[in-house]
Amino acid sequence: MLVKRIIPCLDVKEGRVVKGINFLNLKDAGDPAESARIYSEEGADEIVFLDITASFEKRKTMIDVVRRTARNVFIPLTVGGGIRKLSDIRELLNAGADKVSINTAAVENPSFVKEASRKFGTQCIVVAIDAKKTGKKKWEVYTYGGRKSTGIDAIRWAKTVEKLGAGEILLTSMDKDGTKNGYDIELTKAISTLVKIPVIASGGAGKISHIYDVFKKGKADAALAASIFHYGIYSIKKVKEYLQKKGIPVRN
Amino acid sequence: MSKLIAIIDYRAGNIKSVENALKICGAKPIIATKPLHLKNSAGIILPGVGAFKDGMKNLEKRKLIKEIKSQIFKGKPFLGICLGFQLLFSYSEEHGRVKGLDILKGGVKKFKVNLKIPHMGWNTVKLKMTNEKLKMPMFDGISDNAFFYFVHSYYAKPSEKNVVAGMTNYGINFCSAISKQNIWGVQFHPEKSGKNGLKILRNFIKKCL
């Protein structure tokens, strides 16, 4: 049986983890490669790196991070942030990433998703959607790390990216992100039941029960979380034990 | 005999992870783009993701098909992964009907299930032989119903039932691993399946030495 995935996300800035993880056995909490390795050993099903480096020149550091990570981590690795060209994707894949996550570039140039999935295969193209609630069962797509509104309806956009050849959707609720109040169940369910590709829910995880809810009620295929793992509030193992007990199938 | 394991590079996705995984398992991977590379290796891995048609086309372009077949028939250990596993079969129903390597009889079909496609994530493999004495060398040290990482929209349906080494359920039961003498094939990605996956690669390396 295909199981639900638990995916820790690491924000990386100029080659360093922004919110360092709080593990005793971690030599360098700032090294994304080292953190990814620990998460993998802990039972993470995949790893996501989000590059939040502002300056274009320093983006190259991510390639080195990916290369070092891929030498020791043997679960899927997704990299997102600032990907605009086919050559960006190629560089990351050649360094050892398995998937790339595209957000702003997809909105500004939808044919980029099409070209990318045709060139590299749908399985490695994840489209990230940052959505903000605007009304009853209505959400709007934001770009540039949540700074720019687009006027695009998130539900419709999800359907569009599926048609363009996205292999997966990474759906972040901007209203919930950082609140630790739980995922946006309504948003996740609306999109996950609409599209035929897997949906990774993101934004709002603060307790184990939130992850349970986003699977059970939100119908997510995978749950992404950052701070609850980084601060060592819950280990991935604990989360999985809890889910298993509550009848959500996970990899043990 | 050399310990070199050839990873066939035919522009079908990411070979870096297979290379990294082989290295950590103690093998010496070489990226094979020419028939000669296959001749000089102790074992061959055909990895790959993407479209069946393009895969065959690129193998043809690099003039690798004849050498792959010749090496397999000579008995060299061979491991097909994901698309590289599917390419072993006679044909695929992707884009109508495309001819495959035809090393194994049977076809590759699209999932027609009311579930999300691609079949992406971790799923279990039910071993055909669970008795330790009869267990296939591929699954040496791996328990029944162990988890592996999958990502695919098509599945292989072998005509010879005795080559099936493992089955997986995704709406239907499909063949996720085959083993026929020197030929191994897996639908999942051992290079992305954590400890279980690395164990399969180690078993393959052992077979090559």
Side-chain angles (χ1 to χ4, degrees), chain B residues 168-205:
Chain B
T168 296
N169 184 277
Y170 192 61
I172 54 159
N173 284 314
F174 68 92
C175 168
S176 50
I178 63 99
S179 171
K180 187 186 181 185
Q181 291 141 11
N182 57 317
I183 311 164
W184 292 5
V186 288
Q187 181 58 66
F188 51 83
H189 288 271
E191 76 282 11
K192 285 289 142 191
S193 296
K195 283 192 188 106
N196 292 338
L198 294 181
K199 185 70 180 106
I200 286 190
L201 292 176
R202 281 198 187 97
N203 290 342
F204 181 70
I205 294 164

Side-chain angles (χ1 to χ4, degrees), chain B:
Chain B
M1 207 183 213
S2 78
K3 286 189 230 171
L4 289 181
I5 295 187
I7 306 168
I8 301 179
D9 177 7
Y10 60 120
R11 313 195 61 179
N14 192 11
I15 53 168
K16 192 74 200 167
S17 11
V18 179
E19 192 187 353
N20 282 331
L22 284 178
K23 275 186 190 159
I24 212 147
C25 293
K28 278 188 199 151
I30 52 158
I31 306 303
T33 53
K34 290 179 186 149
L36 185 70
H37 296 148
L38 303 184
K39 263 189 200 136
N40 294 342
S41 66
I44 299 169
I45 294 182
L46 182 63
V49 284
F52 193 97
K53 197 178 178 178
D54 296 340
M56 280 307 287
K57 225 195 266 166
N58 288 331
L59 283 178
E60 214 163 64
K61 238 188 241 166
R62 298 203 158 168
K63 304 198 178 359
L64 290 164
I65 294 180
K66 218 179 110 193
E67 197 58 43
I68 289 174
K69 287 189 180 176
S70 142
Q71 293 297 328
I72 286 179
F73 294 133
K74 271 185 206 157
K76 190 171 278 185
F78 184 93
L79 171 64
I81 297 173
C82 195
L83 178 64
F85 158 67
Q86 297 183 353
L87 289 171
L88 288 170
F89 289 88
S90 316
Y91 66 92
S92 167
E93 288 177 0
E94 201 172 325
H95 313 286
R97 198 178 166 104
V98 186
K99 219 175 155 286
L101 292 169
D102 200 25
I103 289 160
L104 296 172
K105 298 292 164 206
V108 175
K109 294 159 189 295
K110 192 167 175 84
F111 274 118
K112 285 188 189 108
V113 293
N114 193 24
L115 295 166
K116 298 212 170 171
I117 303 293
H119 169 224
M120 184 187 281
W122 297 81
N123 203 332
T124 49
V125 174
K126 175 100 195 100
L127 303 185
K128 200 168 164 209
M129 293 292 178
T130 48
N131 183 312
E132 279 304 324
K133 280 182 193 147
L134 298 172
K135 211 167 176 179
M136 289 165 181
M138 177 196 274
F139 290 116
D140 185 26
I142 289 168
S143 51
D144 195 20
N145 293 315
F147 280 99
F148 294 93
Y149 187 81
F150 288 81
V151 49
H152 61 123
S153 305
Y154 290 78
Y155 66 95
K157 200 173 175 197
S159 312
E160 311 163 78
K161 296 297 163 224
N162 56 340
V163 304
V164 177
M167 298 287 286
T168 296
N169 184 277
Y170 192 61
I172 54 159
N173 284 314
F174 68 92
C175 168
S176 50
I178 63 99
S179 171
K180 187 186 181 185
Q181 291 141 11
N182 57 317
I183 311 164
W184 292 5
V186 288
Q187 181 58 66
F188 51 83
H189 288 271
E191 76 282 11
K192 285 289 142 191
S193 296
K195 283 192 188 106
N196 292 338
L198 294 181
K199 185 70 180 106
I200 286 190
L201 292 176
R202 281 198 187 97
N203 290 342
F204 181 70
I205 294 164
K206 206 162 137 194
K207 193 177 162 70
C208 296
L209 300 179

Side-chain angles (χ1 to χ4, degrees), chain A residues 1 45 74 98 192 196 221, chain B residues 14 116-117 122-123 192 194:
Chain A
M1 178 197 253
D45 294 310
F74 298 98
D98 299 288
S192 193
K196 279 277 190 308
D221 299 286
Chain B
N14 192 11
K116 298 212 170 171
I117 303 293
W122 297 81
N123 203 332
K192 285 289 142 191

